[in-house]
């Protein structure tokens, strides 16, 4: 079961040099702005923890991994400042994942949409189940995955990102994601997934922590401009969400 808290939940457990960060939200593990802010801060805090060698990022429950940013908040945006701030939420998380100094293992048990795909792409190594299909549906409401695009393209290339973005109404299955390089391995069951996550994280935690840190830096070389780049992308999305096209597309979702 996932949390019933409307602002979501975030828990960190540190054991044997492995930090497991688990997020949850009753709306298919989506992210309201407050939860995104908490996650970004937690990633930096855990990354600075001297006793942590590896981070595991996971979500609650057995169904969706992440439904992206809060749709209720998206629908409520009424000005450019709020729009930019809303989309900056995932930008801040991606930058925290990039700069936290610790390798991150993503544990993906189910479907993922929108910003959640960016979250997966920003992990350094991802294990998933057969149910972990992905979709970028932003075009259907008049915006685009501009903030997460650098992270997704870095993992699956321009052609993969193009296919995923332009085919906005269809799910790509877990094996498609593995073929493109988003997932390292795909398992039939959650139990198999968790066993492999445990084995891998324990192996990595036993390695030289300095080597792990240096590998993190090497893997992310060339992304030093992301603080500015993702802020620029958040501004693009913040403006688009106020367009007449998007306003009309979102009308049917207003409560």
């Amino acid at each position: 079961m996932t949390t019933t808290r409307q602002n979501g939940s975030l828990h960190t457990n540190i054991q044997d040099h492995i930090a497991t960060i688990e997020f949850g939200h009753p709306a298919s593990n989506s992210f309201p702005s407050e939860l995104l802010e908490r996650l970004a801060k937690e990633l930096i805090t855990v990354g600075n923890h001297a006793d942590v060698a590896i981070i595991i990022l996971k979500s609650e429950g057995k169904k969706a991994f992440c439904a992206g940013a809060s749709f209720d908040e998206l629908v409520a945006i009424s000005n450019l400042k709020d729009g930019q701030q809303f989309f900056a939420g995932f930008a801040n998380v991606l930058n925290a994942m990039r700069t936290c100094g610790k390798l991150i293992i993503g544990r993906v048990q189910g479907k993922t949409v929108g910003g959640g795909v960016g979250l997966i792409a920003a992990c350094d190594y991802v294990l998933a189940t057969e149910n972990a299909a992905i979709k970028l549906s932003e075009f259907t409401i008049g915006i685009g995955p501009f903030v997460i695009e650098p992270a997704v393209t870095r993992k699956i290339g321009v052609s993969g990102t193009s296919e995923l973005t332009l085919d906005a109404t269809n799910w790509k299955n877990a094996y498609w994601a593995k073929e493109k390089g988003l997932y390292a391995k795909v398992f039939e069951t959650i139990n198999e997934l968790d066993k492999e996550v445990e084995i891998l994280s324990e192996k990595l935690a036993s390695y030289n922590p300095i080597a792990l840190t240096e590998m993190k830096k090497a893997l992310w070389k060339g992304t030093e401009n992301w603080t500015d780049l993702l802020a620029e992308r958040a501004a693009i999305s913040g403006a688009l969400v106020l367009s007449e096209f998007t306003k009309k597309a979102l009308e049917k979702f207003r409560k």
Side-chain angles (χ1 to χ4, degrees), residues 82-134:
D82 288 347
Q84 291 175 335
Q85 186 173 351
F86 174 82
F87 288 102
F90 266 101
N92 294 336
V93 169
L94 296 184
N95 278 318
M97 295 176 74
R98 176 177 67 88
T99 62
C100 72
K102 303 292 166 63
L103 292 168
I104 301 174
I105 299 171
R107 181 261 196 195
V108 183
Q109 79 279 16
K111 289 184 173 181
T112 303
V113 181
V117 178
L119 205 68
I120 293 172
C123 292
D124 298 294
Y125 195 92
V126 181
L127 302 172
T129 70
E130 290 183 335
N131 294 323
I134 58 174

Side-chain angles (χ1 to χ4, degrees), residues 23 27-31 57-60 63-69 90 106-123 126-138 148 152 164 168 170-174 176-177 182-183:
F23 64 88
S28 300
N29 291 328
S30 58
F31 275 97
L57 183 63
K58 62 184 294 188
S59 65
E60 294 182 350
K63 294 184 179 180
F65 172 73
C66 179
F90 266 101
R107 181 261 196 195
V108 183
Q109 79 279 16
K111 289 184 173 181
T112 303
V113 181
V117 178
L119 205 68
I120 293 172
C123 292
V126 181
L127 302 172
T129 70
E130 290 183 335
N131 294 323
I134 58 174
K135 181 168 67 171
L136 293 181
S137 56
E138 285 87 344
I148 66 169
V152 178
L164 191 58
N170 292 315
W171 291 94
K172 301 297 184 184
N173 66 37
W176 183 93
L182 189 65
Y183 300 153

Side-chain angles (χ1 to χ4, degrees), residues 6-7 25 30-40 69-70 73-74 77 82 85-90 92-93:
Q6 290 306 305
N7 287 326
H25 191 277
S30 58
F31 275 97
S33 296
E34 179 183 318
L35 186 57
L36 284 169
E37 183 178 355
R38 290 172 60 195
L39 178 58
S70 168
E73 288 189 22
L74 175 67
I77 294 171
D82 288 347
Q85 186 173 351
F86 174 82
F87 288 102
F90 266 101
N92 294 336
V93 169

Side-chain angles (χ1 to χ4, degrees), residues 157-182:
V158 173
S159 62
T161 301
S162 177
E163 182 177 351
L164 191 58
T165 303
L166 303 187
D167 192 12
T169 59
N170 292 315
W171 291 94
K172 301 297 184 184
N173 66 37
Y175 292 103
W176 183 93
K178 179 179 182 296
E179 179 185 340
K180 297 297 182 181
L182 189 65

